[in-house]
Amino acid sequence: MRIAGAALNQIPIDWENNLRNIQTAIEQAKSAGVQLLCLPELCLTGYACEDLFLSDWMPEAALAHLQAVRPWTQGICVVVGLPVRLPGRTYNTAAVLRDGQVLGFAAKQFLANDGVHYETRFFAPWVAGETSTVSWEGETWPLGDLIFEHQGVRFGFEICEDAWRADNVRPACRLMGRVDLIVNPSASHFAMSKTDVRYQLVMKASRTFDCTYLYANLLGNEAGRIIFDGEILVARNGHLLKRNQLLSFKEVDLEWVDVDFTAKPEPAAEIVPLPAPDEYKELNQAMSLALFDYLRKARSKGFVLSLSGGADSCFCAVGVAEMVRLGVEELGLDEFKRRSGCFPAASETVVQQAGAGGSAAQVVEAPTTESDLSTNQQLVRQLLTCAYQGTVNSSDDTFNSAKDLADSIGARFFNWEIDEEVSGYVGKIQGALGRELTWQTDDLALQNIQARVRAPAIWLLANVQNCLLITTSNRSEASVGYCTMDGDTAGSISPIAGVDKDFVKKWLRWAETELGYAALRHVNALQPTAELRPLADKQTDERDLMPYTLLNRIERLAFYNRLSPKQVLATLDTEATGFDHEQLRAFVRRFYTLWSRNQWKRERYAPSFHLDDYNVDPRSWLRFPILSGGFGEELAAL
């Protein structure tokens, strides 16, 4: 039998988009001679419909839209994921359709309820061995723990999380010996290095349960935060039969393989491991796809970025350039432009303001024209507008870093100064309070006003152009609140808020050498700095906080490993950090203190992508109270 999986790039409750992709996948499968096709989990509605799954109307609408799929299944057996609601409870199901008929619904038995997943809020787990019925306009179909048959091949289901449970409780343990094929429609989120875990899971399941295992995952940035890599795997008795390239820009990625179910399978062998993952490359592909999907699904016309010349903003700028490069490379120029929906208008005249020391009134023509740019640079020019917003505390180093990078990737680049606006606000408050604001008495306030003054103009630029404003905070800054609310955190989307600062710095060095972004040499030679204090102070992020590698380690121990402050300190004492016990104790106290007082900031960050195996976004991984005791007793015990 020729079996296939198809990764689909869906959108929550976008029935037209989702049905179109389902129909395309079925048509491609038929053209390829596929006899059984697995589509991803909840692909009809989208996986991230959140509390809509609790309504009566949305699951009912899904069942109604499933009827549109029926005529497309003539001559093929197709698995389609959708929610089904019985009185008071919603179930995550996979419908099996063939020759225009619905054969029944398999229901998910184990629900994901950790990390980015909150499925137990929306769904009820199905009880193993039980069955019920689903009715729609006079027709009735079975629902529950079911086995199906197609052309003599018996198959049963594990739906995503079902496969991640222990071998003695997961559905496969009861299917063993009763089926030839286990089908797994999934919505398994992307995280760096995760694909190896998933690969091992599928390979071992096929060997342990003596079957062919077919796995198909969702694809793309479906709903804003979570990215799906579109992985398709087919394995038999521990042997890999098919695996696709991940994180495709395509809307439908179909992969098929022929399996002789009548032949005795090859003897089980040791599972061949995948090559060691390249996390820099993985992150690059995931970031690019996530930006592309966010851009087009938000119906925006591009991105605007306050390009400071520092590591985080440079990362975001290169991210847009890589979105263009990788998207055009896979889709082709015309399809990339069509899919993005951003290229109906002719090019505009571009102006650029003078250098770092120039007056805000000085405007000169851009030194390049469209004809001077490569095709990808021309696309970037229409998709990314950057502005350097300098003050007396800004350096030529960061200006040159910002300008050279923007020029090298083709982005539009503006430069203006904000000292006049800062002075205006400071003067107003000095007049109101009747005293001078000084660095000795008002350090944080004078830093914050500079960051906040940058927000209105860059927001205006984004609004005028109908673009998404990128904010550049990373995960390390989010953990300790090293940011200015309504300043450098202002924006529509925060792409790297799930990535720690040490990784950001390493990725930029990789991008300079491996991807050829030579202009990154500027930022890669600089110490990260907010440039909000006078230049003579030589402000750096790590002097304000602590070494980023140590900050990241404390963060991981505290919230990924879920250790207490005392346990974190004890662990650090056993590691080669380069710091003695008293220094480590001070850093641990500082981290927990800053963490506790800044949850309100994390609640207000722009949506961020989930890229690592954890993050600090309360909407997609880590919840913490805004008001708390701040680990007072625990820190005192140190």
Side-chain angles (χ1 to χ4, degrees):
M1 179 181 288
R2 182 163 292 182
I3 63 176
L8 307 182
N9 193 317
Q10 306 297 74
I11 304 172
I13 60 167
D14 188 337
W15 306 108
E16 180 181 0
N17 173 86
N18 297 348
L19 285 169
R20 181 176 63 248
N21 288 344
I22 289 170
Q23 183 177 24
T24 299
I26 294 173
E27 290 174 351
Q28 289 181 5
K30 284 184 175 181
S31 297
V34 169
Q35 293 153 288
L36 188 150
L37 170 64
C38 175
L39 302 179
E41 179 180 11
L42 295 171
C43 63
L44 185 56
T45 57
Y47 175 80
C49 293
E50 305 281 348
D51 281 2
L52 287 177
F53 287 127
L54 299 174
S55 69
D56 290 327
W57 73 265
M58 198 275 278
E60 183 178 344
L63 198 56
H65 282 95
L66 182 68
Q67 311 313 309
V69 180
R70 292 173 64 171
W72 305 337
T73 64
Q74 290 295 334
I76 190 172
C77 184
V78 181
V79 174
V80 181
L82 75 159
V84 169
R85 189 160 175 84
L86 300 183
R89 291 188 170 189
T90 306
Y91 296 94
N92 183 336
T93 79
V96 180
L97 293 82
R98 181 179 63 200
D99 295 330
Q101 299 300 315
V102 178
L103 304 185
F105 299 79
K108 190 171 185 177
Q109 298 176 27
F110 293 96
L111 302 177
N113 197 44
D114 60 349
V116 302
H117 300 289
Y118 300 96
E119 290 181 355
T120 55
R121 178 177 175 86
F122 317 123
F123 301 110
W126 193 264
V127 177
E130 290 193 1
T131 59
S132 183
T133 57
V134 177
S135 298
W136 186 84
E137 293 194 354
E139 294 187 78
T140 301
W141 306 290
L143 163 71
D145 190 359
L146 304 175
I147 291 177
F148 298 85
E149 181 273 333
H150 180 56
Q151 296 185 4
V153 174
R154 295 165 301 164
F155 63 97
F157 283 88
E158 292 192 317
I159 301 177
C160 201
E161 180 70 12
D162 288 338
W164 294 77
R165 298 305 174 102
D167 286 345
N168 63 340
V169 298
R170 59 190 286 186
C173 73
R174 294 185 303 279
L175 294 171
M176 185 175 179
R178 302 168 61 205
V179 301
D180 311 292
L181 170 69
I182 295 178
V183 179
N184 189 327
S186 281
S188 179
H189 67 276
F190 168 83
M192 290 184 287
S193 295
K194 183 181 177 183
T195 181
D196 185 67
V197 178
R198 199 187 291 127
Y199 166 82
Q200 290 287 336
L201 184 145
V202 170
M203 295 291 284
K204 289 177 181 176
S206 73
R207 185 179 63 183
T208 300
F209 302 109
D210 191 23
C211 67
T212 300
Y213 203 103
L214 168 61
Y215 177 96
N217 198 18
L218 277 173
L219 174 63
N221 181 352
E222 185 203 50
R225 287 178 169 87
I226 308 304
I227 303 155
F228 299 100
D229 57 24
E231 184 159 33
I232 297 169
L233 290 162
V234 185
R236 191 178 195 204
N237 202 28
H239 298 274
L240 179 66
L241 304 183
K242 176 67 70 171
R243 181 172 182 262
N244 63 333
Q245 291 295 315
L246 307 187
L247 295 161
S248 169
F249 280 74
K250 294 185 289 188
E251 290 181 293
V252 175
D253 183 13
L254 177 81
E255 302 287 342
W256 56 265
V257 67
D258 292 325
V259 179
D260 186 353
F261 288 98
T262 65
K264 185 178 180 180
E266 295 182 49
E270 287 299 313
I271 294 171
V272 178
L274 293 176
D278 184 339
E279 290 194 338
Y280 300 129
K281 188 175 181 180
E282 278 189 322
L283 178 67
N284 189 43
Q285 187 79 27
M287 175 78 72
S288 299
L289 178 58
L291 286 169
F292 181 69
D293 277 346
Y294 206 107
L295 173 71
R296 66 187 185 87
K297 293 179 182 182
R299 298 175 180 83
S300 181
K301 295 302 179 184
F303 300 100
V304 168
L305 172 65
S306 187
L307 185 59
S308 70
D312 299 325
S313 63
C314 286
F315 190 122
C316 293
V318 173
V320 176
E322 282 296 286
M323 176 196 78
V324 169
R325 182 183 72 85
L326 293 172
V328 170
E329 186 178 277
E330 181 176 4
L331 300 176
L333 177 61
D334 291 342
E335 181 66 4
F336 177 87
K337 294 171 73 172
R338 183 192 71 79
R339 289 272 306 285
S340 68
C342 298
F343 295 92
S347 302
E348 302 175 19
T349 302
V350 179
V351 297
Q352 177 176 325
Q353 299 201 15
S359 161
Q362 291 178 292
V363 180
V364 295
E365 291 294 328
T368 56
T369 64
E370 291 292 322
S371 61
D372 297 321
L373 302 175
S374 70
T375 299
N376 283 359
Q377 286 175 319
Q378 290 181 37
L379 296 179
V380 173
R381 198 172 194 81
Q382 294 185 63
L383 289 174
L384 178 61
T385 302
C386 302
Y388 183 86
Q389 304 186 79
T391 70
V392 293
N393 300 321
S394 302
S395 67
D396 289 340
D397 288 337
T398 54
F399 172 77
N400 291 331
S401 173
K403 183 179 184 304
D404 286 0
L405 180 60
D407 288 347
S408 71
I409 64 177
R412 299 177 69 189
F413 181 78
F414 297 100
N415 168 48
W416 57 72
E417 295 179 349
I418 60 168
D419 289 318
E420 185 177 339
E421 291 90 339
V422 171
S423 296
Y425 280 112
V426 171
K428 283 183 176 65
I429 301 306
Q430 288 180 150
L433 297 179
R435 70 171 180 86
E436 182 182 6
L437 303 184
T438 71
W439 289 104
Q440 289 70 38
T441 58
D442 308 288
D443 177 82
L444 284 178
L446 290 175
Q447 289 191 65
N448 285 335
I449 190 58
Q450 294 169 75
R452 288 199 176 98
V453 161
R454 292 185 170 113
I458 202 72
W459 261 126
L460 179 59
L461 183 61
N463 289 166
V464 166
Q465 299 186 130
N466 192 23
C467 289
L468 293 163
L469 177 58
I470 294 176
T471 183
T472 62
S473 294
N474 60 70
R475 190 178 77 210
S476 303
E477 293 175 349
S479 287
V480 292
Y482 193 64
C483 57
T484 301
M485 295 313 300
D486 308 311
D488 56 315
T489 59
S492 318
I493 181 174
S494 187
I496 64 170
V499 184
D500 69 76
K501 186 59 171 265
D502 185 58
F503 193 93
V504 167
K505 292 160 63 180
K506 291 175 179 175
W507 189 91
L508 288 170
R509 290 193 289 271
W510 174 82
E512 179 187 353
T513 57
E514 298 298 319
L515 299 180
Y517 289 93
L520 292 175
R521 67 187 183 279
H522 296 291
V523 70
N524 286 336
L526 298 174
Q527 281 290 319
T529 174
E531 286 196 330
L532 295 175
R533 291 197 184 102
L535 288 173
D537 190 59
K538 297 182 179 179
Q539 181 183 25
T540 69
D541 294 357
E542 291 186 308
R543 199 173 77 185
D544 283 353
L545 300 170
M546 65 187 75
Y548 275 119
T549 53
L550 186 59
L551 191 158
N552 297 335
R553 183 62 178 148
I554 296 172
E555 175 195 83
R556 188 173 187 89
L557 291 171
F559 297 113
Y560 185 82
N561 295 355
R562 307 191 192 283
L563 303 183
S564 70
K566 182 179 180 180
Q567 292 170 321
V568 170
L569 180 57
T571 302
L572 293 176
D573 277 334
T574 68
E575 300 177 349
T577 62
F579 297 97
D580 62 31
H581 177 79
E582 291 305 315
Q583 290 171 310
L584 291 173
R585 181 165 63 177
F587 288 139
V588 170
R589 290 178 61 88
R590 182 179 302 172
F591 175 86
Y592 277 96
T593 300
L594 291 172
W595 169 276
S596 300
R597 71 172 58 149
N598 285 296
Q599 179 65 20
W600 69 278
K601 290 186 178 182
R602 290 185 289 275
E603 299 276 357
R604 292 189 56 208
Y605 268 87
S608 63
F609 300 152
H610 183 86
L611 297 164
D612 207 345
D613 54 356
Y614 77 102
N615 66 47
V616 298
D617 182 347
R619 285 286 287 117
S620 64
W621 202 84
L622 180 58
R623 297 189 177 190
F624 188 84
I626 294 174
L627 303 177
S628 72
F631 300 94
E633 180 175 310
E634 291 77 9
L635 294 180
L638 296 183

